[in-house]
Amino acid sequence: MVAGCFLLAPAAPAHAPHDVVGELAMSPTFLQDHTLFASFSLTDHTLFGRSTDGGLSWQEYGLPMMEHPIQKFAFSPRFVVDGIAFAATDGGGIWRTADAGLTWAPINTGLPSLVVRSIAVSPKFKSDATLIAATDLGCARSSNGGLTWVSVNTGLVETALRVVDFAPGDNTTAFIGGKTLHASSDGGLTWAPRVTYPNLMETLAVSPRFAQDHALMLAFGRFGTGARYSTDGGLSFSGCNTGLTDQFVYEIAIANNGTVLAATKTAGCYRASAPGSPWKLTINGFEAPSDLTEFHNTEALVSPGFGADGLAYIGSYEGLYVTHDGGESWRQCDVYNQFLNRHIAFSPNFAHDRTVFFGNYGGGVLQYGPEAPGPVAATASGTASVAVVGQPTPAAAVSGGGEPHSLQRATAFASSSWRGLSNNIAALYSDALAVSPEFASDRTLFYGYTVLSRSTDAGEHWTQLPKPSGVTVVRRIATSPDFANDRTVIFGSGGEGTWRSLDGGDSFSQLQLGLPAAFSTSSIDFSPDFAADGTIFLASRNLGVYRSTDRGHSWTPANAGMSNLMVRCFAVSPDFAADRTAFAGTVGSGVFITHDAGVSWSPTDAGLPGTSGPAAGPLIIESIVLSPAFATDRTALLATLNDSVFRSVDGGNSWAPASAGMPRDSVRTLEISPDFAHDQRVLAGTYGWTWETTDAGATWSRLPGGLRVDESAATVYRSDDWTKIGGTNNNGGSVRVSLGAGAWEELQFFGDRIVWFANTGKLSGIARVSIDGLPPQRVDLYGPTLKTQQPVFEQSFETPGWHVIRVTNTGESNPDAKFGAVNSDGYFYSF
């Protein structure tokens, strides 16, 4: 496991959206396998996350069990050997994995309720196969590894249970509780009440040295009554709130050396030297809490070797924090920003310009193609060299670590490279990206999230458009097929109206006639023959499909025959004028098809995973694309959040898996090449890289990755002597400037090439740049004229691996410079 530098700055400003950690757990064999499990909540669904490098990188999966909130993970004591773990869910019962989290199946036979708040695994699970579960209808126990369950409520004074655990190393001593804490001395067969409180318990922490110290701790979460501790095995408890200014305690973790960490509602992390000792707030490196939620910090974990390694984690609404010094300083882990391209848009002239645009979660707008020149670009492999502007002296190569996914990279784009294109875009979490159908001549792009922006030079520069008052987030943008003539652009929000421009985005007016204002837009699709038929479809996450046949003036529902109005994606046949065909993908009900322009719909799910049955979860259709030659080749592909990619070659009548070469992954988006008839190319954006097929889905390989990291990103850490300054010609609309010697900034990244960007000019001084703590290079930022977003330092590595780049202000300047400021406009790395 790689650890970076952890001399961190005070709380950074909150970012949005947030990498919300819902549940977090650590393998009991963590010191060997470095495995963490987590659930991550997005705005529209929840993902299961697994890390095998201590949280440095994560792989996310849209598993069926994620239909219901994860309440607790529990591992086999021999997880490093048997790969067995369990997940308790609120409404879906208990799920089991035997392959370290890759696949899960429900194990609910005999379970008294599917509302399971917690689960505990016997310390001697290998021999006794015992599990205990806390449900809202009492205690359930299994003695065969979860194959069957029986209710064991003897001695319980309540049945609404929330917490359960075994004493470490002891398969006879266990505790369970709701408002009353009960103890068992026979492995959960019978129970005896110990103490009762007026509120439900949120967390139970048993000391890893329980056999010696008999210590337990309780907390009550949303009830705000702080924490209590016992040193007599739970016979009696005392309050321990000294120093605990935020008494809404959601989780407590007791370390092997007696140290206690607590995650609280808003304050963050508190630390005590032992159960019952005074608390101290320790949040150096935490973000400032967002105003988007009341409950921020809910998870606390400590390493089994905490006394020696000081390793611990706090899970929050703002993300996942890690410490390597016992809580003195924290760093935010990059949960999935590095890989997730949420939207993909081919240039309409792709056959000639070979250009694709991406909307990246955290990285803004990216371009991939041969038009990405110079040091800003990052190709598939490095050259193990260093280049510094004005100082070309080479440095020794730095070897990287192993790659998280050692899979074959695509070769079709081997000569292509990445660029960041977020000049003056302040919201870098893309949810909407559109390319003009006349891109070859007008070079126009639209981008939206919390801001709405337009570029007329292929993304080199962006201007902010007048987003209507009251619209928080732009969910989708689409342009008319006849954009050159009608200048029509439509964008949809997350329930705050749908808006149209007839002047290319200069102004917008709300579409209201027949269209509910609460319409939460998931797709906007124009008829290919829009100039003649005036037809537009709007799909919604909450209200199904609406259709207009008068260019958007009036709207009517178009849901007849559709049993589910949670429509995630939509696709209109390229031959719509003749076949009147469209597809709608839903949450939980598969795919629907219409052959009469939306007048009626019927399901078309043959070959797709079932949406019912004991192991089924919601079949979430994330994306549907149709071949431009659909009228003749009848080819369609769809992406599911749970089960990857499927293909139809009979116009959607039947589907077959089409994800060979792609590991089990959560596919968020598909986009099909405009030249599909010749290149058979489709791109897929997932929570682990971007994938390409050039044989219509028969096989897949991954593209090399690239990410532009703005200096305002949560994963860029710096000392507190930097100032944010706005700049319309800068990435994200700002730079950070330091005036004093010793001011530093650093980024931990996984990649094979890193580029640092800064402004050069007469006011700029000299910086030191160090990679992985090796001797630094001096970088002089002086220039006779101001130039923004300059790649002032870059280094390549022979193989992708984890690295840390640190930039430090030397306090020195060029003799011709008028000042000695060092500024930073972020980074770019390839992987």
Side-chain angles (χ1 to χ4, degrees), residues 475-509:
R475 290 295 183 196
R476 290 291 181 270
I477 303 175
T479 60
S480 159
D482 196 33
F483 179 75
N485 297 312
D486 61 31
R487 309 296 291 165
T488 298
V489 184
I490 295 178
F491 82 79
S493 69
E496 300 160 323
T498 307
W499 304 76
R500 180 182 62 178
S501 172
L502 298 177
D503 53 18
D506 291 337
S507 62
F508 286 87
S509 58

PDB file of all heavy atoms in Angstrom, residues 475-509:
ATOM      1  N   ARG A 475     -29.766  18.660 -16.290  1.00  0.00           N
ATOM      2  CA  ARG A 475     -29.611  17.212 -16.394  1.00  0.00           C
ATOM      3  C   ARG A 475     -29.301  16.741 -17.815  1.00  0.00           C
ATOM      4  O   ARG A 475     -28.552  15.791 -18.014  1.00  0.00           O
ATOM      5  CB  ARG A 475     -30.890  16.523 -15.904  1.00  0.00           C
ATOM      6  CG  ARG A 475     -31.110  16.623 -14.423  1.00  0.00           C
ATOM      7  CD  ARG A 475     -30.037  15.889 -13.670  1.00  0.00           C
ATOM      8  NE  ARG A 475     -30.263  15.918 -12.230  1.00  0.00           N
ATOM      9  CZ  ARG A 475     -29.349  15.623 -11.331  1.00  0.00           C
ATOM     10  NH1 ARG A 475     -28.131  15.306 -11.727  1.00  0.00           N
ATOM     11  NH2 ARG A 475     -29.617  15.660 -10.053  1.00  0.00           N
ATOM     12  N   ARG A 476     -29.912  17.340 -18.805  1.00  0.00           N
ATOM     13  CA  ARG A 476     -29.696  16.927 -20.187  1.00  0.00           C
ATOM     14  C   ARG A 476     -29.756  18.147 -21.105  1.00  0.00           C
ATOM     15  O   ARG A 476     -30.493  19.095 -20.850  1.00  0.00           O
ATOM     16  CB  ARG A 476     -30.741  15.909 -20.646  1.00  0.00           C
ATOM     17  CG  ARG A 476     -30.627  14.541 -19.999  1.00  0.00           C
ATOM     18  CD  ARG A 476     -29.356  13.815 -20.468  1.00  0.00           C
ATOM     19  NE  ARG A 476     -29.242  12.500 -19.870  1.00  0.00           N
ATOM     20  CZ  ARG A 476     -28.634  12.236 -18.734  1.00  0.00           C
ATOM     21  NH1 ARG A 476     -28.101  13.214 -18.032  1.00  0.00           N
ATOM     22  NH2 ARG A 476     -28.557  10.997 -18.268  1.00  0.00           N
ATOM     23  N   ILE A 477     -28.963  18.078 -22.186  1.00  0.00           N
ATOM     24  CA  ILE A 477     -28.998  19.094 -23.234  1.00  0.00           C
ATOM     25  C   ILE A 477     -29.067  18.374 -24.572  1.00  0.00           C
ATOM     26  O   ILE A 477     -28.403  17.346 -24.760  1.00  0.00           O
ATOM     27  CB  ILE A 477     -27.747  19.986 -23.227  1.00  0.00           C
ATOM     28  CG1 ILE A 477     -27.547  20.662 -21.880  1.00  0.00           C
ATOM     29  CG2 ILE A 477     -27.818  21.053 -24.309  1.00  0.00           C
ATOM     30  CD1 ILE A 477     -26.252  21.452 -21.779  1.00  0.00           C
ATOM     31  N   ALA A 478     -29.846  18.903 -25.504  1.00  0.00           N
ATOM     32  CA  ALA A 478     -29.893  18.343 -26.862  1.00  0.00           C
ATOM     33  C   ALA A 478     -30.123  19.465 -27.852  1.00  0.00           C
ATOM     34  O   ALA A 478     -30.797  20.461 -27.562  1.00  0.00           O
ATOM     35  CB  ALA A 478     -30.991  17.293 -26.978  1.00  0.00           C
ATOM     36  N   THR A 479     -29.547  19.296 -29.037  1.00  0.00           N
ATOM     37  CA  THR A 479     -29.736  20.260 -30.116  1.00  0.00           C
ATOM     38  C   THR A 479     -30.574  19.639 -31.223  1.00  0.00           C
ATOM     39  O   THR A 479     -30.547  18.423 -31.432  1.00  0.00           O
ATOM     40  CB  THR A 479     -28.386  20.703 -30.704  1.00  0.00           C
ATOM     41  OG1 THR A 479     -27.706  19.558 -31.214  1.00  0.00           O
ATOM     42  CG2 THR A 479     -27.524  21.368 -29.643  1.00  0.00           C
ATOM     43  N   SER A 480     -31.296  20.469 -31.919  1.00  0.00           N
ATOM     44  CA  SER A 480     -32.099  20.022 -33.061  1.00  0.00           C
ATOM     45  C   SER A 480     -31.210  19.464 -34.162  1.00  0.00           C
ATOM     46  O   SER A 480     -30.101  19.976 -34.397  1.00  0.00           O
ATOM     47  CB  SER A 480     -32.893  21.202 -33.603  1.00  0.00           C
ATOM     48  OG  SER A 480     -33.287  20.990 -34.936  1.00  0.00           O
ATOM     49  N   PRO A 481     -31.671  18.432 -34.874  1.00  0.00           N
ATOM     50  CA  PRO A 481     -30.915  17.950 -36.045  1.00  0.00           C
ATOM     51  C   PRO A 481     -30.759  19.027 -37.106  1.00  0.00           C
ATOM     52  O   PRO A 481     -29.841  18.962 -37.923  1.00  0.00           O
ATOM     53  CB  PRO A 481     -31.762  16.782 -36.554  1.00  0.00           C
ATOM     54  CG  PRO A 481     -32.596  16.373 -35.395  1.00  0.00           C
ATOM     55  CD  PRO A 481     -32.872  17.618 -34.620  1.00  0.00           C
ATOM     56  N   ASP A 482     -31.666  20.027 -37.072  1.00  0.00           N
ATOM     57  CA  ASP A 482     -31.627  21.126 -38.032  1.00  0.00           C
ATOM     58  C   ASP A 482     -31.109  22.398 -37.367  1.00  0.00           C
ATOM     59  O   ASP A 482     -31.531  23.500 -37.694  1.00  0.00           O
ATOM     60  CB  ASP A 482     -33.039  21.350 -38.598  1.00  0.00           C
ATOM     61  CG  ASP A 482     -33.025  22.185 -39.870  1.00  0.00           C
ATOM     62  OD1 ASP A 482     -32.053  22.086 -40.651  1.00  0.00           O
ATOM     63  OD2 ASP A 482     -33.980  22.945 -40.084  1.00  0.00           O
ATOM     64  N   PHE A 483     -30.176  22.209 -36.431  1.00  0.00           N
ATOM     65  CA  PHE A 483     -29.679  23.308 -35.614  1.00  0.00           C
ATOM     66  C   PHE A 483     -29.157  24.472 -36.443  1.00  0.00           C
ATOM     67  O   PHE A 483     -29.327  25.633 -36.080  1.00  0.00           O
ATOM     68  CB  PHE A 483     -28.577  22.780 -34.692  1.00  0.00           C
ATOM     69  CG  PHE A 483     -27.961  23.814 -33.797  1.00  0.00           C
ATOM     70  CD1 PHE A 483     -28.638  24.284 -32.691  1.00  0.00           C
ATOM     71  CD2 PHE A 483     -26.680  24.310 -34.060  1.00  0.00           C
ATOM     72  CE1 PHE A 483     -28.059  25.232 -31.852  1.00  0.00           C
ATOM     73  CE2 PHE A 483     -26.097  25.258 -33.231  1.00  0.00           C
ATOM     74  CZ  PHE A 483     -26.790  25.724 -32.118  1.00  0.00           C
ATOM     75  N   ALA A 484     -28.529  24.188 -37.577  1.00  0.00           N
ATOM     76  CA  ALA A 484     -27.973  25.257 -38.407  1.00  0.00           C
ATOM     77  C   ALA A 484     -29.038  26.244 -38.839  1.00  0.00           C
ATOM     78  O   ALA A 484     -28.752  27.438 -39.014  1.00  0.00           O
ATOM     79  CB  ALA A 484     -27.276  24.656 -39.624  1.00  0.00           C
ATOM     80  N   ASN A 485     -30.270  25.764 -39.003  1.00  0.00           N
ATOM     81  CA  ASN A 485     -31.353  26.630 -39.463  1.00  0.00           C
ATOM     82  C   ASN A 485     -32.269  27.093 -38.347  1.00  0.00           C
ATOM     83  O   ASN A 485     -32.659  28.258 -38.296  1.00  0.00           O
ATOM     84  CB  ASN A 485     -32.177  25.912 -40.530  1.00  0.00           C
ATOM     85  CG  ASN A 485     -31.364  25.599 -41.768  1.00  0.00           C
ATOM     86  OD1 ASN A 485     -30.658  26.466 -42.288  1.00  0.00           O
ATOM     87  ND2 ASN A 485     -31.444  24.364 -42.246  1.00  0.00           N
ATOM     88  N   ASP A 486     -32.639  26.152 -37.429  1.00  0.00           N
ATOM     89  CA  ASP A 486     -33.635  26.537 -36.426  1.00  0.00           C
ATOM     90  C   ASP A 486     -33.021  26.985 -35.101  1.00  0.00           C
ATOM     91  O   ASP A 486     -33.728  27.533 -34.248  1.00  0.00           O
ATOM     92  CB  ASP A 486     -34.632  25.411 -36.188  1.00  0.00           C
ATOM     93  CG  ASP A 486     -34.015  24.127 -35.659  1.00  0.00           C
ATOM     94  OD1 ASP A 486     -33.010  24.188 -34.945  1.00  0.00           O
ATOM     95  OD2 ASP A 486     -34.565  23.045 -35.969  1.00  0.00           O
ATOM     96  N   ARG A 487     -31.724  26.723 -34.869  1.00  0.00           N
ATOM     97  CA  ARG A 487     -31.004  27.164 -33.674  1.00  0.00           C
ATOM     98  C   ARG A 487     -31.662  26.677 -32.379  1.00  0.00           C
ATOM     99  O   ARG A 487     -31.557  27.304 -31.323  1.00  0.00           O
ATOM    100  CB  ARG A 487     -30.880  28.690 -33.640  1.00  0.00           C
ATOM    101  CG  ARG A 487     -30.320  29.302 -34.929  1.00  0.00           C
ATOM    102  CD  ARG A 487     -28.906  28.850 -35.165  1.00  0.00           C
ATOM    103  NE  ARG A 487     -27.976  29.409 -34.196  1.00  0.00           N
ATOM    104  CZ  ARG A 487     -26.742  28.957 -34.004  1.00  0.00           C
ATOM    105  NH1 ARG A 487     -26.296  27.908 -34.682  1.00  0.00           N
ATOM    106  NH2 ARG A 487     -25.955  29.527 -33.111  1.00  0.00           N
ATOM    107  N   THR A 488     -32.299  25.524 -32.440  1.00  0.00           N
ATOM    108  CA  THR A 488     -33.041  25.021 -31.292  1.00  0.00           C
ATOM    109  C   THR A 488     -32.158  24.200 -30.357  1.00  0.00           C
ATOM    110  O   THR A 488     -31.479  23.265 -30.779  1.00  0.00           O
ATOM    111  CB  THR A 488     -34.231  24.165 -31.750  1.00  0.00           C
ATOM    112  OG1 THR A 488     -35.124  24.985 -32.524  1.00  0.00           O
ATOM    113  CG2 THR A 488     -34.986  23.580 -30.560  1.00  0.00           C
ATOM    114  N   VAL A 489     -32.188  24.574 -29.080  1.00  0.00           N
ATOM    115  CA  VAL A 489     -31.514  23.840 -28.007  1.00  0.00           C
ATOM    116  C   VAL A 489     -32.521  23.656 -26.887  1.00  0.00           C
ATOM    117  O   VAL A 489     -33.252  24.594 -26.547  1.00  0.00           O
ATOM    118  CB  VAL A 489     -30.295  24.609 -27.452  1.00  0.00           C
ATOM    119  CG1 VAL A 489     -29.556  23.768 -26.411  1.00  0.00           C
ATOM    120  CG2 VAL A 489     -29.372  25.038 -28.564  1.00  0.00           C
ATOM    121  N   ILE A 490     -32.577  22.445 -26.325  1.00  0.00           N
ATOM    122  CA  ILE A 490     -33.459  22.178 -25.187  1.00  0.00           C
ATOM    123  C   ILE A 490     -32.630  21.608 -24.054  1.00  0.00           C
ATOM    124  O   ILE A 490     -31.755  20.771 -24.269  1.00  0.00           O
ATOM    125  CB  ILE A 490     -34.590  21.192 -25.566  1.00  0.00           C
ATOM    126  CG1 ILE A 490     -35.518  21.824 -26.614  1.00  0.00           C
ATOM    127  CG2 ILE A 490     -35.396  20.770 -24.333  1.00  0.00           C
ATOM    128  CD1 ILE A 490     -36.634  20.915 -27.071  1.00  0.00           C
ATOM    129  N   PHE A 491     -32.888  22.081 -22.846  1.00  0.00           N
ATOM    130  CA  PHE A 491     -32.279  21.442 -21.687  1.00  0.00           C
ATOM    131  C   PHE A 491     -33.348  21.122 -20.654  1.00  0.00           C
ATOM    132  O   PHE A 491     -34.365  21.810 -20.539  1.00  0.00           O
ATOM    133  CB  PHE A 491     -31.140  22.275 -21.086  1.00  0.00           C
ATOM    134  CG  PHE A 491     -31.548  23.391 -20.165  1.00  0.00           C
ATOM    135  CD1 PHE A 491     -31.912  23.136 -18.842  1.00  0.00           C
ATOM    136  CD2 PHE A 491     -31.523  24.705 -20.589  1.00  0.00           C
ATOM    137  CE1 PHE A 491     -32.270  24.164 -17.985  1.00  0.00           C
ATOM    138  CE2 PHE A 491     -31.862  25.742 -19.744  1.00  0.00           C
ATOM    139  CZ  PHE A 491     -32.245  25.474 -18.427  1.00  0.00           C
ATOM    140  N   GLY A 492     -33.118  20.035 -19.941  1.00  0.00           N
ATOM    141  CA  GLY A 492     -34.031  19.602 -18.897  1.00  0.00           C
ATOM    142  C   GLY A 492     -33.342  19.600 -17.559  1.00  0.00           C
ATOM    143  O   GLY A 492     -32.126  19.363 -17.459  1.00  0.00           O
ATOM    144  N   SER A 493     -34.085  19.849 -16.506  1.00  0.00           N
ATOM    145  CA  SER A 493     -33.554  19.941 -15.151  1.00  0.00           C
ATOM    146  C   SER A 493     -33.945  18.703 -14.349  1.00  0.00           C
ATOM    147  O   SER A 493     -34.536  17.757 -14.865  1.00  0.00           O
ATOM    148  CB  SER A 493     -34.092  21.203 -14.469  1.00  0.00           C
ATOM    149  OG  SER A 493     -35.493  21.063 -14.219  1.00  0.00           O
ATOM    150  N   GLY A 494     -33.643  18.731 -13.076  1.00  0.00           N
ATOM    151  CA  GLY A 494     -34.006  17.637 -12.198  1.00  0.00           C
ATOM    152  C   GLY A 494     -35.320  17.868 -11.500  1.00  0.00           C
ATOM    153  O   GLY A 494     -35.485  17.475 -10.347  1.00  0.00           O
ATOM    154  N   GLY A 495     -36.281  18.487 -12.171  1.00  0.00           N
ATOM    155  CA  GLY A 495     -37.594  18.739 -11.584  1.00  0.00           C
ATOM    156  C   GLY A 495     -37.898  20.208 -11.424  1.00  0.00           C
ATOM    157  O   GLY A 495     -38.809  20.592 -10.679  1.00  0.00           O
ATOM    158  N   GLU A 496     -37.138  21.060 -12.145  1.00  0.00           N
ATOM    159  CA  GLU A 496     -37.342  22.506 -12.057  1.00  0.00           C
ATOM    160  C   GLU A 496     -37.639  23.111 -13.417  1.00  0.00           C
ATOM    161  O   GLU A 496     -37.315  24.260 -13.691  1.00  0.00           O
ATOM    162  CB  GLU A 496     -36.098  23.151 -11.455  1.00  0.00           C
ATOM    163  CG  GLU A 496     -35.791  22.642 -10.058  1.00  0.00           C
ATOM    164  CD  GLU A 496     -34.349  22.881  -9.647  1.00  0.00           C
ATOM    165  OE1 GLU A 496     -33.451  22.760 -10.501  1.00  0.00           O
ATOM    166  OE2 GLU A 496     -34.124  23.175  -8.471  1.00  0.00           O
ATOM    167  N   GLY A 497     -38.263  22.318 -14.287  1.00  0.00           N
ATOM    168  CA  GLY A 497     -38.676  22.833 -15.579  1.00  0.00           C
ATOM    169  C   GLY A 497     -37.830  22.353 -16.736  1.00  0.00           C
ATOM    170  O   GLY A 497     -36.698  21.881 -16.565  1.00  0.00           O
ATOM    171  N   THR A 498     -38.393  22.450 -17.933  1.00  0.00           N
ATOM    172  CA  THR A 498     -37.725  22.129 -19.191  1.00  0.00           C
ATOM    173  C   THR A 498     -37.710  23.399 -20.032  1.00  0.00           C
ATOM    174  O   THR A 498     -38.726  24.096 -20.125  1.00  0.00           O
ATOM    175  CB  THR A 498     -38.460  21.000 -19.924  1.00  0.00           C
ATOM    176  OG1 THR A 498     -38.620  19.888 -19.034  1.00  0.00           O
ATOM    177  CG2 THR A 498     -37.697  20.550 -21.150  1.00  0.00           C
ATOM    178  N   TRP A 499     -36.583  23.679 -20.665  1.00  0.00           N
ATOM    179  CA  TRP A 499     -36.382  24.995 -21.258  1.00  0.00           C
ATOM    180  C   TRP A 499     -35.876  24.868 -22.687  1.00  0.00           C
ATOM    181  O   TRP A 499     -35.120  23.961 -23.016  1.00  0.00           O
ATOM    182  CB  TRP A 499     -35.390  25.805 -20.414  1.00  0.00           C
ATOM    183  CG  TRP A 499     -35.828  25.922 -18.981  1.00  0.00           C
ATOM    184  CD1 TRP A 499     -35.754  24.950 -18.016  1.00  0.00           C
ATOM    185  CD2 TRP A 499     -36.437  27.043 -18.362  1.00  0.00           C
ATOM    186  NE1 TRP A 499     -36.266  25.409 -16.841  1.00  0.00           N
ATOM    187  CE2 TRP A 499     -36.697  26.699 -17.021  1.00  0.00           C
ATOM    188  CE3 TRP A 499     -36.781  28.326 -18.809  1.00  0.00           C
ATOM    189  CZ2 TRP A 499     -37.281  27.577 -16.121  1.00  0.00           C
ATOM    190  CZ3 TRP A 499     -37.365  29.201 -17.917  1.00  0.00           C
ATOM    191  CH2 TRP A 499     -37.615  28.832 -16.593  1.00  0.00           C
ATOM    192  N   ARG A 500     -36.286  25.825 -23.522  1.00  0.00           N
ATOM    193  CA  ARG A 500     -35.927  25.806 -24.946  1.00  0.00           C
ATOM    194  C   ARG A 500     -35.347  27.143 -25.374  1.00  0.00           C
ATOM    195  O   ARG A 500     -35.807  28.210 -24.946  1.00  0.00           O
ATOM    196  CB  ARG A 500     -37.161  25.486 -25.798  1.00  0.00           C
ATOM    197  CG  ARG A 500     -36.891  25.443 -27.301  1.00  0.00           C
ATOM    198  CD  ARG A 500     -38.169  25.175 -28.088  1.00  0.00           C
ATOM    199  NE  ARG A 500     -39.158  26.227 -27.912  1.00  0.00           N
ATOM    200  CZ  ARG A 500     -40.354  26.257 -28.517  1.00  0.00           C
ATOM    201  NH1 ARG A 500     -40.701  25.256 -29.313  1.00  0.00           N
ATOM    202  NH2 ARG A 500     -41.192  27.250 -28.301  1.00  0.00           N
ATOM    203  N   SER A 501     -34.341  27.047 -26.240  1.00  0.00           N
ATOM    204  CA  SER A 501     -33.782  28.230 -26.878  1.00  0.00           C
ATOM    205  C   SER A 501     -33.998  28.118 -28.380  1.00  0.00           C
ATOM    206  O   SER A 501     -33.830  27.042 -28.955  1.00  0.00           O
ATOM    207  CB  SER A 501     -32.284  28.345 -26.579  1.00  0.00           C
ATOM    208  OG  SER A 501     -31.695  29.389 -27.348  1.00  0.00           O
ATOM    209  N   LEU A 502     -34.356  29.225 -29.006  1.00  0.00           N
ATOM    210  CA  LEU A 502     -34.499  29.280 -30.464  1.00  0.00           C
ATOM    211  C   LEU A 502     -33.424  30.165 -31.096  1.00  0.00           C
ATOM    212  O   LEU A 502     -33.504  30.476 -32.284  1.00  0.00           O
ATOM    213  CB  LEU A 502     -35.896  29.806 -30.831  1.00  0.00           C
ATOM    214  CG  LEU A 502     -37.066  28.947 -30.349  1.00  0.00           C
ATOM    215  CD1 LEU A 502     -38.404  29.599 -30.709  1.00  0.00           C
ATOM    216  CD2 LEU A 502     -36.988  27.541 -30.938  1.00  0.00           C
ATOM    217  N   ASP A 503     -32.425  30.524 -30.267  1.00  0.00           N
ATOM    218  CA  ASP A 503     -31.351  31.371 -30.784  1.00  0.00           C
ATOM    219  C   ASP A 503     -29.981  30.792 -30.419  1.00  0.00           C
ATOM    220  O   ASP A 503     -29.042  31.526 -30.123  1.00  0.00           O
ATOM    221  CB  ASP A 503     -31.505  32.797 -30.272  1.00  0.00           C
ATOM    222  CG  ASP A 503     -31.633  32.889 -28.755  1.00  0.00           C
ATOM    223  OD1 ASP A 503     -31.263  31.907 -28.068  1.00  0.00           O
ATOM    224  OD2 ASP A 503     -32.112  33.924 -28.260  1.00  0.00           O
ATOM    225  N   GLY A 504     -29.887  29.485 -30.411  1.00  0.00           N
ATOM    226  CA  GLY A 504     -28.604  28.835 -30.185  1.00  0.00           C
ATOM    227  C   GLY A 504     -28.087  28.904 -28.771  1.00  0.00           C
ATOM    228  O   GLY A 504     -26.900  28.682 -28.537  1.00  0.00           O
ATOM    229  N   GLY A 505     -28.964  29.221 -27.802  1.00  0.00           N
ATOM    230  CA  GLY A 505     -28.566  29.270 -26.410  1.00  0.00           C
ATOM    231  C   GLY A 505     -28.434  30.655 -25.835  1.00  0.00           C
ATOM    232  O   GLY A 505     -28.131  30.799 -24.644  1.00  0.00           O
ATOM    233  N   ASP A 506     -28.661  31.683 -26.630  1.00  0.00           N
ATOM    234  CA  ASP A 506     -28.557  33.052 -26.113  1.00  0.00           C
ATOM    235  C   ASP A 506     -29.633  33.342 -25.077  1.00  0.00           C
ATOM    236  O   ASP A 506     -29.420  34.097 -24.130  1.00  0.00           O
ATOM    237  CB  ASP A 506     -28.643  34.074 -27.249  1.00  0.00           C
ATOM    238  CG  ASP A 506     -27.415  34.041 -28.147  1.00  0.00           C
ATOM    239  OD1 ASP A 506     -26.353  33.590 -27.677  1.00  0.00           O
ATOM    240  OD2 ASP A 506     -27.526  34.452 -29.322  1.00  0.00           O
ATOM    241  N   SER A 507     -30.803  32.754 -25.250  1.00  0.00           N
ATOM    242  CA  SER A 507     -31.906  32.956 -24.310  1.00  0.00           C
ATOM    243  C   SER A 507     -32.757  31.695 -24.268  1.00  0.00           C
ATOM    244  O   SER A 507     -32.787  30.917 -25.234  1.00  0.00           O
ATOM    245  CB  SER A 507     -32.764  34.163 -24.718  1.00  0.00           C
ATOM    246  OG  SER A 507     -33.357  33.940 -25.993  1.00  0.00           O
ATOM    247  N   PHE A 508     -33.445  31.474 -23.139  1.00  0.00           N
ATOM    248  CA  PHE A 508     -34.282  30.292 -22.966  1.00  0.00           C
ATOM    249  C   PHE A 508     -35.649  30.690 -22.426  1.00  0.00           C
ATOM    250  O   PHE A 508     -35.776  31.635 -21.648  1.00  0.00           O
ATOM    251  CB  PHE A 508     -33.620  29.313 -21.986  1.00  0.00           C
ATOM    252  CG  PHE A 508     -32.448  28.577 -22.553  1.00  0.00           C
ATOM    253  CD1 PHE A 508     -31.178  29.133 -22.504  1.00  0.00           C
ATOM    254  CD2 PHE A 508     -32.608  27.323 -23.122  1.00  0.00           C
ATOM    255  CE1 PHE A 508     -30.078  28.455 -23.027  1.00  0.00           C
ATOM    256  CE2 PHE A 508     -31.527  26.634 -23.645  1.00  0.00           C
ATOM    257  CZ  PHE A 508     -30.262  27.195 -23.595  1.00  0.00           C
ATOM    258  N   SER A 509     -36.652  29.939 -22.828  1.00  0.00           N
ATOM    259  CA  SER A 509     -38.000  30.094 -22.268  1.00  0.00           C
ATOM    260  C   SER A 509     -38.507  28.718 -21.854  1.00  0.00           C
ATOM    261  O   SER A 509     -38.161  27.694 -22.458  1.00  0.00           O
ATOM    262  CB  SER A 509     -38.948  30.731 -23.288  1.00  0.00           C
ATOM    263  OG  SER A 509     -39.015  29.950 -24.468  1.00  0.00           O
TER     264      SER A 509
END
